[in-house]
Amino acid sequence: MRTTFNLNRKSVEAEPEPRTTLADCLRDELRHTGTHIGCEHGVCGACTVLVDGAAVRSCLMLAVQADGCDVETVEGLAENGALSVLQKAFRKHHALQCGFCTPGFLMTAHGLLLREPFAGPDRIRDVLAGSLCRCTGYIPILEAVLDAQQAYQQTRKSMP
Amino acid sequence: MMQSNSYIGSEVERVEDARLLLGQGNFVGDLSCEGVLHAAILRSSVAHGYLKAIDCSAVRACPGVRVVVTAAEIGPTIPTVPLRQDPIPTTAPYEQPVIANGKVRYVGEPIAVVIADTAQIAEDALEFFKLDIDPLPAVVGAEPQHAASALFFETTNSNVSVRLEGVKGKVSDAFARADYRRRERFTVQRHTAIPMETRGLLARWEGDKLTVWGGAKVPFAIRRLLARHLNRSEQDITIIESDIGGGFGVRGEYYPEDFLVPFCARMVGRPVKWIEDRREHLLATAHAREVECELEIACRSDGVILALRGIADVDMGAYIRTNAVTPPRNIAQVVSGPYRVSNVHMDVALVMTNKTPVGTYRGPGRFEVDFFRERLFDMAAADLGIDRVQFRRINLVSSAEMPYPLPTVMPLHSESECDSGDYSRTLERCLSEFDWPTKTKSDGKLIEGEYHGVALGCYIESGGSGPQENARLAIEVDGTVSVVVGSTAVGQGLETTMAQIAADALELPFEKIRVFHGSTNLLRQGFGTYGSRSIVMGGSAVWTAAAELKKAMAAAAARKLGCSPSEVRLLEGRLVGLKGQSIELGEIAGVAAEGSFGSDKRTYSYGTHAAHVSVDSKTGRVRVLDYVAVEDVGRIVNPAGLHGQTIGAIVQGLGGSLLEHLIYDESGQLLTASFADYLLPTMSDFPNIRAFAMQEHRAPNNPLGAKGGGEGGIIPVGGVIANAVASALRSLGAQPVALPLSPPRVWKLMEDGRSASARSPATAQ
């Protein structure tokens, strides 16, 4: 089925089967392999992308449901090819080891801080508890998100 | 040459991170190639039975299905997965055929492979197999009475595949003269590593040459086994290591799929890709940890330990696979941990059951046996009226006793000794960081509906597994130095730490070092990453090769500069002669050196953990209010990397202590084959963990002085948490002897305690 959506601010067309998940479509047809698949039943969160600004498990959403939507993946986070503030904070705090779950954590945190830049640590922890990481023990991830938070707050303040 | 560096010991940001953060990693699932086909594997849904017939006709008729492979297509002889590590010849009858051959022995055992145009078609086609399986009773418990109920390897006379013995001193004499003895039975549940990336392979033949992507952990060993099974020479096979989404022991071993995928690719004449799904991972990738143990301690009345003896039944699952003997070996060897115990005897039975085969998982055998020992120590200390901290203080091995021998494991003749350190230092530091005197004030008290408890435990972590590692360093035309090492990356930041070591050894800027690793086309021979060995073995190989490269650099530069090698200096990345004449590093491109490091002596990191927990008096839910870890790893290469390993390992250990459980029913069906049923820790579960690393006592047996540090974090967690829960519930007389301490179990402990005290109020204090 012909499906058209904005992927990281660029219009793309795909021809997924009706049963194809958004995750498979992104990875296999559109060759955006930064979105990872860890469980295919919506628990691990590695495949999280933003659809119209909301964090979505792309393994639980059909590709055809993205028709007409704005889809953001980890490949769209970088600013002119350089690490974003959030990505830099992950690096600074050693918030990743194997890096497999990382795209999901980045997109979940990015989506949260865009909507709720003043979220407190408990709120951030609650939201990120929807993703699984087996390497870091999570503590450095929380530190990284808290470190990056100020930049999101400033962006919000500078908006009219 | 002079230009002193200090990258070793610095929190250098990881070179791996940029690609991983940008979504540009190269995990095996991300790879594709021209003409690739996809594999799906039919797995047994029956735990034990005769596989009488496989009707593939409807599968072969599916549009898009190219090839169907069963034992008939592979035979007449079906290769078996060999025991690679700690080999014992008598395990041969218990090895797993790469595909079920006349019999199935666990749910998840491969029966057939479908190769199709897409992964979806291949998976759909699995529905069309018609199997005739004649079911047999399943053996699901490792206790001897279970194991004897149905012999399931016809060529053997027992479901106990191997018996190991850990021996030291004269145990019966020590028990005979002891003032105090106590014997208890403990259980650790089946759980496992669960890396976030499932396994996967991509195999492509070009004529007689095979390339396999998705290698991890031990690519050279995989190549050796694959060459034997495919009847090729090792030179015909290349194993490429891609980015790896976590290993923790289970990933990168030689599994049946490591044979099946390349075999199918050869048969179909096209590249074949296989990516394990999560349910499949929970059934097919190695399980771990399931042990029942009866452990007995003998002490003098002053608390000095005289002896430990025990019997352990280790549930091996249905087959002995590549590294399955290592956890039971460790149970036999590290039962005494960091303590002075002159007399030890452990009998460890490796019992076959109709469940997924087991392997190593971070801290293999050590997590389990530390739980047994530390739990028993707290019981003994209480019985003797000795403070549990003091009990440990008087029994810890002292620095003057180093090297201190551990029990020898037979019939492996496996000997090892604690190498160096002052174990009391991490104990005292832990007490101080934890603020033991303050925390113990709430110990055993019921405060606002929560019982509070504190506990601590000491451990040793063996690292630096032998036998050897190799490295090759070369100057490149762009003035960088390429470092090739046989160690592999499983997410631990290997490229960063190896570059730190090379930069310091060569006295070059970190940015000048580029690290390549793992793949079999880079070195003649490599060994890989297991048993916390990469810094110790790989790092020492890089260090050794760098010393050789420096000599070669000086000689090559001297010829260009017209001076003697001893006059060559390295200044800001340029090679400089006595009179100030200089050349760029790139001008001596091609200069290279090799280095190896071999050792059969393990390193022993050590430490102490302490925990403060609360137990909900109504629900039995355990919360970790504070957790402190102190370790000494000899020498720290990247403190942030080590800290991450430690915190991550502790959280894994807390998962294994409180949440994670692979549960089977009586017919051998796995009931926890999804993340909805198998509970992994999340960010909100264990936010209160603090870790401190020391480097007071270097390892004596490697040039870096480093000790393995990847596993220590997990080892003592079960014992510490169970002791903290016991301490919290002391007013109820509760004695946890089985993990995980899930709410229903803890609730039951409390209920049993309450009903016992209701029966005899005078004795329950």
Side-chain angles (χ1 to χ4, degrees), chain A residues 19-24 26 35-49 56-62:
Chain A
R19 67 172 177 171
T20 301
T21 64
L22 179 59
D24 281 344
L26 289 169
T35 299
H36 294 156
I37 297 175
C39 74
E40 292 181 286
H41 55 276
V43 181
C44 83
C47 67
T48 303
V49 300
V56 162
R57 316 239 144 169
S58 61
C59 76
L60 292 186
M61 180 171 171
L62 298 173

Side-chain angles (χ1 to χ4, degrees), chain A residues 19 24 27 31 33-34 36 38-41 43-44 74-75 78 81 83 87 90-92 94 96-103 105-106 124-126 128-129 131-139 141-142, chain B residues 12-15 17 20-23 27 29-30 32 120 124 192-194 196-197 244-246 248 277-278 361 490-491 638 640-641 644-645 647-648 651-652 660 674-676 680-684 687 689:
Chain A
R19 67 172 177 171
D24 281 344
R27 290 176 51 79
R31 296 304 296 158
T33 55
H36 294 156
C39 74
E40 292 181 286
H41 55 276
V43 181
C44 83
V74 68
E75 287 93 342
L83 297 181
Q87 289 167 317
F90 267 61
R91 188 173 189 193
K92 177 179 158 194
H94 284 243
L96 65 156
Q97 288 179 32
C98 78
F100 190 80
C101 70
T102 308
F105 273 97
L106 285 170
I124 294 171
R125 201 181 275 126
D126 273 356
L128 294 186
S131 292
L132 297 174
C133 167
R134 199 58 163 162
C135 296
T136 64
Y138 302 106
I139 289 170
I141 298 177
L142 181 67
Chain B
V12 175
E13 288 191 353
R14 304 195 328 160
V15 294
D17 287 357
L20 297 171
L21 288 163
L22 291 167
F27 296 89
D30 304 340
S32 193
Q120 290 80 358
D124 286 350
T192 190
I194 319 286
M196 292 319 301
E197 183 200 21
I244 299 299
F248 316 115
D277 72 26
R278 184 54 69 180
Y361 166 35
V490 285
N638 191 320
Q645 291 270 313
I647 297 279
V651 171
Q652 276 185 325
E660 300 178 33
S674 81
F675 284 164
L680 294 167
T682 71
M683 190 182 275
S684 53
I689 301 170

Side-chain angles (χ1 to χ4, degrees), chain B residues 211-515:
Chain B
T211 305
V212 180
W213 288 266
K217 189 176 183 180
V218 287
F220 287 87
I222 301 282
R223 180 178 69 167
R224 191 163 58 247
L225 298 172
L226 199 48
R228 193 204 300 167
H229 287 167
L230 290 168
N231 203 18
R232 309 293 331 160
S233 89
E234 286 186 41
Q235 280 61 47
D236 291 339
I237 298 175
T238 305
I239 310 286
I240 304 287
E241 191 200 3
S242 42
D243 279 322
I244 299 299
F248 316 115
V250 299
R251 193 190 172 93
E253 288 293 333
Y254 190 76
Y255 282 93
E257 297 84 358
D258 288 76
F259 170 84
L260 294 171
V261 174
F263 178 89
C264 292
R266 182 165 68 179
M267 191 167 164
V268 74
R270 298 260 296 268
V272 169
K273 181 175 172 178
W274 168 70
I275 302 295
E276 188 181 52
D277 72 26
R278 184 54 69 180
R279 178 175 173 276
E280 200 175 20
H281 179 89
L282 284 156
L283 289 168
T285 297
H287 289 182
R289 299 276 201 252
E290 188 171 6
V291 192
E292 295 238 358
C293 179
E294 219 170 277
L295 190 62
E296 187 174 15
I297 189 170
C299 294
R300 286 195 328 222
S301 57
D302 61 0
V304 169
I305 301 166
L306 298 176
L308 284 169
R309 69 181 167 199
I311 299 166
D313 292 318
V314 182
D315 184 326
M316 305 301 289
Y319 297 102
I320 299 284
R321 288 204 298 219
T322 49
N323 56 13
V325 171
T326 302
R329 186 207 67 173
N330 290 345
I331 288 171
Q333 191 157 63
V334 297
V335 62
S336 51
Y339 303 98
R340 184 188 312 102
V341 184
S342 305
N343 305 288
V344 179
H345 193 110
M346 287 295 288
D347 276 308
V348 183
L350 283 63
V351 186
M352 310 310 294
T353 61
N354 291 114
K355 295 190 274 192
T356 297
V358 302
T360 56
Y361 166 35
R362 196 179 214 171
R366 304 169 199 283
F367 173 91
E368 300 90 304
V369 82
D370 269 47
F371 164 67
F372 309 147
R373 180 189 69 239
E374 296 293 326
R375 205 56 278 280
L376 188 59
F377 277 14
D378 266 19
M379 295 177 186
D383 288 346
L384 291 164
I386 297 171
D387 176 76
R388 55 198 152 148
V389 175
Q390 191 58 22
F391 184 84
R392 288 172 174 84
R393 273 194 192 113
I394 60 177
N395 286 300
L396 281 175
V397 174
S398 73
S399 55
E401 293 167 283
M402 296 291 173
Y404 184 80
L406 294 167
T408 299
V409 183
M410 299 303 289
L412 289 161
H413 298 279
S414 168
E415 294 180 6
S416 198
E417 56 189 27
C418 299
D419 54 350
S420 69
D422 185 345
Y423 296 170
S424 67
R425 292 276 299 155
T426 54
L427 171 62
E428 302 304 332
R429 172 87 184 271
C430 184
L431 292 170
S432 140
E433 297 288 354
F434 184 73
D435 194 2
W436 182 263
T438 305
K439 291 272 168 55
T440 44
K441 283 178 188 158
S442 65
D443 195 29
K445 298 218 167 81
L446 180 63
I447 303 165
E448 293 174 2
E450 304 262 338
Y451 291 103
H452 286 249
V454 302
L456 86 170
C458 307
Y459 71 95
I460 49 174
E461 171 196 3
S462 98
S465 292
Q468 191 184 322
E469 197 51 89
N470 303 325
R472 185 168 52 78
L473 275 58
I475 314 282
E476 304 294 339
V477 286
D478 61 359
T480 61
V481 176
S482 60
V483 172
V484 179
V485 64
S487 307
T488 52
V490 285
Q492 78 278 43
L494 183 85
E495 290 162 38
T496 305
T497 49
M498 291 297 143
Q500 289 178 262
I501 292 166
D504 273 12
L506 295 168
E507 302 173 75
L508 282 171
F510 183 74
E511 297 71 28
K512 291 278 187 189
I513 312 290
R514 291 190 301 163
V515 175

